[in-house]
Amino acid sequence: VLLQKITNQMHCTSNGTMIFSSNPPGKRPKVHDFLAFDLSEKFLPAELWGHIMNYLPLSDVIQCSAVSPFMLKEVMPRVRHLSVFKKGGLRATVARRFGTKNMKQIDIYCLINCVDPNENEEKFSLCQKTASCIVPFLCNFPNLRSVGLDVDPVGIPLGTYFHDTFTEADSVEVVRSLVRSICGAYQNGSFSQQLQIYGPAFQAGTFICYKSHGCSLCKMYCESFPVEQAVNARATCISVSERLQIIANRPGGTIYLKSKALILELLRSNYEVPFLVLNSNNSFKTEQAKLFSKTVIEELEILCTKFFDTNTLTHDEVIDALASEDEWKGDRKIWLVQQCYEKLTSLGIPVNKTFVSLVGEKVLLSDLHHYM
């Protein structure tokens, strides 16, 4: 009966936000119309209301917090996830409405602006005002575990798609300033080392640095960000050896560099290059050969010689890492560029030749040096 009563007064706005109101569908309720139930009766416990608030935009959550003392004092401290669509929500007065020690995830969707959307080719820029408010706002939540900066619902950073269309003059300095601020927050303890930050500035290395050689910002990034993110910062302008040495000098860095998971992750980060195979009927077909970039090979070489014991790897683990999920079926072999195979075996990585067919550089349809 309770669920039926709630469902009858549940409507959905044009943007998909669910609200509770006695108003008919299509009419946006005012603040005093929100939650038409008598909250003193507590039709739903505060824990469930808090879970509902996790799926609302921050602007709607703020309106709900103004409905009654019950919503402000009992429900708001139980909110675990905020979605910020306007930079006006990045204020300390807003943060105080919530249980700052209980907040686990914040997604900010107002960092990227669209410039001249009516043009055939859209341009994007990073909002400097939003970027300057992000770190002071996040510092109010000491137990945060995840922050997304303009990340879409499936977790892909929008910057991965739009990095070629950003206006360079504005965005480069905005990103560099934002990275410096976040590094400072990690270094002074305002951000926990368990906090993972996702977005265009932190997964597309082009945005971290436009320099051609090692700079102080890239070193600061590797010294400050969580070890897992610093290890994956392969697009920074510092060398592979310098990056790994910085990580090794950090607390817990050597343990991470010795982990099998890191080696298997590098083995999965292979490219595929087309080549031709002669069939039994004297016709040719195109296959894909696996190979690794020069950066990955260099990183594997340093890890296997200084940190990781390759004797702990098994043939099955290596083959599973090399093969993609959709291609590894039964007795089908993996095509591997011979140069890469020789490098892997020289490092002590066990590659079972029973499941691998080697491809010479001369038969590749693409220039190997383009990848390596």
Side-chain angles (χ1 to χ4, degrees), residues 13 74 115-116 266 293 332:
T13 63
E74 300 294 331
V115 182
D116 298 329
L266 288 171
S293 66
R332 181 176 178 181

Side-chain angles (χ1 to χ4, degrees), residues 34-48:
F34 260 80
L35 306 175
F37 305 112
D38 182 3
L39 291 175
S40 62
E41 299 180 20
K42 299 183 180 178
F43 285 100
L44 294 177
E47 292 80 7
L48 186 51

Side-chain angles (χ1 to χ4, degrees), residues 205-278:
T206 309
F207 290 109
I208 298 173
C209 185
Y210 279 80
K211 308 295 183 181
S212 58
H213 54 81
C215 69
S216 59
L217 179 59
C218 288
K219 294 178 182 178
M220 186 184 300
Y221 180 92
C222 294
E223 292 170 350
S224 308
F225 271 67
V227 170
E228 182 178 352
Q229 281 190 280
V231 168
N232 293 325
R234 298 183 178 94
T236 52
C237 66
I238 60 177
S239 65
V240 175
S241 58
E242 185 177 3
R243 172 167 56 86
L244 295 180
Q245 187 58 50
I246 291 174
I247 295 170
N249 293 335
R250 294 181 55 181
T254 302
I255 296 176
Y256 189 81
L257 294 179
K258 291 181 178 180
S259 66
K260 181 187 295 186
L262 178 57
I263 298 295
L264 295 177
E265 179 186 347
L266 288 171
L267 292 176
R268 293 187 189 98
S269 60
N270 52 67
Y271 296 93
E272 291 186 343
V273 179
F275 71 99
L276 294 177
V277 178
L278 182 63

